[in-house]
Amino acid sequence: MVDAVYEEARFASLYDVLNPWQPCYEFYRKKMMVADSVLDIGCGTGKVLAEARRSGHRGRLVGADPAAAMLTIARAKTDEVEWLCSDVQRLPTNDRFDLVVMTGHAFQLLLTDDDIRAALDAIRQVLGPSGQFIFEVRNPVVRGWEQWTDRNTRRTVSAPDGGVVEVVYIFERQRPPDLVDYETAFRFHDVGESYSVSSTLRFINPTRLCEILTATGFEIVRQEGDWSGAPWTSASPEVIMTTCLSAD
Ligand SMILES: C[S@@+](CC[C@H](N)C(=O)[O-])C[C@H]1O[C@@H](n2cnc3c(N)ncnc32)[C@H](O)[C@@H]1O
C-alpha cells in the first residue's frame, strides 16, 4: 500500500513545493544525461526525468511510481517521458535500461529485507548488462529523525492552487530493528482542514545493505557520502550506492 502523502492528490500537490530542486536532484540529473536509457523507480512527481529531458537528454526516459496522484503531476510536466503507474515489483520485464535510479530516499520505503530483495530481483531484470543502479539511503548513524521536531520542521508554504498550508514533520518512534515512524501534519488554512498522516521509513545499516546487494547479484562500484561526491565514511549523512550486476 502506498503512503497517503503520495497517494492523495491534496498532499501530492505539495510535494514539489516542499522538495524543491536541490543538489541530490542535480547529482541524478547529471548521471541521467550520460546514459542512453533511464528508468527512475519511485519517480514521484518526475522532476529529475523532466529536467533531464528539458536539458537535452535525447534517449529513452521512463518514470515508474505506484502513486497515481504523483504521476498526474509528473505527466503535467512533460509528455516526453514515459510515465508508468507501477510498483518496483511490477515493472515490465521486457525492457532493459542503461541506468536505473531511485531518488529522494525512495529506497527507504522498502521496509523489510524481503521487500528489498524483491525490489532488487525486479531491478536485475530491467538493468542492461553494463547498466548501473544508483540510489541512496540516509545514514542511520546520523540519527536524522531526531531533528524531526515541531520546532525544526514547521513551515508555511503556498500550494500550487494558491492556498496557504502549514506542514510539520514529527518523529514518533523507532521500531526494531531499524524502522522509524513519523507523522506529517498538514493544516490547509483556506479551507480550515487539518490532516495527520503516519509514515514509516527504514534506516538500514550500510553493512546489511551491502550484504543484501551482494547476495542478490549486485556489485558495489562506488559508495559516496554526500552530494558533492565525497567518499563514504561511517559519519557521512548519506549512503549513495552506485552498483552494477555482478559478473557471476
Ligand atoms: C520520497 S518520494 C521520492 C520521489 C522522487 N523519487 C523524488 O526524488 O522526488 C518516494 C516515492 O516512492 C514511491 N514509492 C513508494 N513505494 C514504492 C514502491 N514499492 N515501488 C516504487 N515506488 C514506490 C512513492 O509513491 C513516492 O512517489
Side-chain angles (χ1 to χ4, degrees):
M1 213 182 71
V2 186
D3 202 312
V5 291
Y6 309 121
E7 193 84 291
E8 287 196 29
R10 70 180 135 226
F11 306 138
S13 71
L14 296 170
Y15 186 85
D16 285 341
V17 177
L18 295 169
N19 299 279
W21 195 259
Q22 49 197 293
C24 61
Y25 294 130
E26 187 56 20
F27 173 94
Y28 283 105
R29 187 195 67 84
K30 285 185 178 151
K31 305 280 181 197
M32 289 180 182
M33 295 308 288
V34 293
D36 285 343
S37 57
V38 180
L39 171 63
D40 182 348
I41 298 172
C43 67
T45 58
K47 59 170 154 300
V48 192
L49 289 168
E51 191 55 27
R53 183 64 86 208
R54 202 195 61 76
S55 52
H57 193 286
R58 289 171 179 275
R60 187 166 183 217
L61 297 176
V62 179
D65 199 290
M70 296 290 268
L71 283 181
T72 299
I73 296 164
R75 286 195 182 98
K77 288 190 174 118
T78 177
D79 59 5
E80 293 179 11
V81 171
E82 295 165 55
W83 305 111
L84 297 178
C85 195
S86 174
D87 182 278
V88 60
Q89 290 186 42
R90 285 172 191 77
L91 298 169
T93 51
N94 44 349
D95 289 343
R96 295 287 177 277
F97 295 87
D98 299 316
L99 174 65
V100 176
V101 298
M102 285 182 83
T103 77
H105 303 112
F107 196 88
Q108 289 188 245
L109 291 159
L110 304 170
L111 300 183
T112 66
D113 284 3
D114 282 349
D115 290 342
I116 292 180
R117 278 192 284 262
L120 293 174
D121 284 345
I123 291 164
R124 240 187 15 247
Q125 305 301 314
V126 294
L127 203 53
S130 54
Q132 290 191 327
F133 170 46
I134 308 181
F135 67 99
E136 87 287 347
V137 294
R138 298 175 184 89
N139 188 356
V141 167
V142 175
R143 299 176 69 83
W145 58 85
E146 290 178 349
Q147 304 305 315
W148 301 349
T149 62
D150 190 308
R151 191 185 147 150
N152 289 340
T153 68
R154 184 174 291 276
R155 57 186 159 144
T156 303
V157 296
S158 295
D161 68 1
V164 174
V165 188
E166 213 172 323
V167 184
V168 60
Y169 304 100
I170 306 280
F171 161 70
E172 282 182 333
R173 72 183 72 79
Q174 272 184 279
R175 271 191 289 139
D178 49 16
L179 299 180
V180 169
D181 296 333
Y182 70 100
E183 179 190 296
T184 310
F186 299 90
R187 176 154 177 73
F188 291 79
H189 282 270
D190 304 39
V191 288
E193 289 173 8
S194 296
Y195 302 90
S196 175
V197 180
S198 292
S199 306
T200 303
L201 292 175
R202 182 170 185 188
F203 282 74
I204 189 170
N205 173 293
T207 306
R208 179 76 193 125
L209 177 58
C210 291
E211 281 168 8
I212 301 179
L213 281 163
T214 311
T216 46
F218 287 83
E219 211 173 278
I220 294 149
V221 175
R222 203 174 313 114
Q223 197 170 321
E224 287 152 293
D226 66 31
W227 301 110
S228 72
W232 187 78
T233 72
S234 58
S236 297
E238 304 282 346
V239 186
I240 307 166
M241 291 287 194
T242 299
T243 69
C244 65
L245 298 176
S246 57
D248 37 33

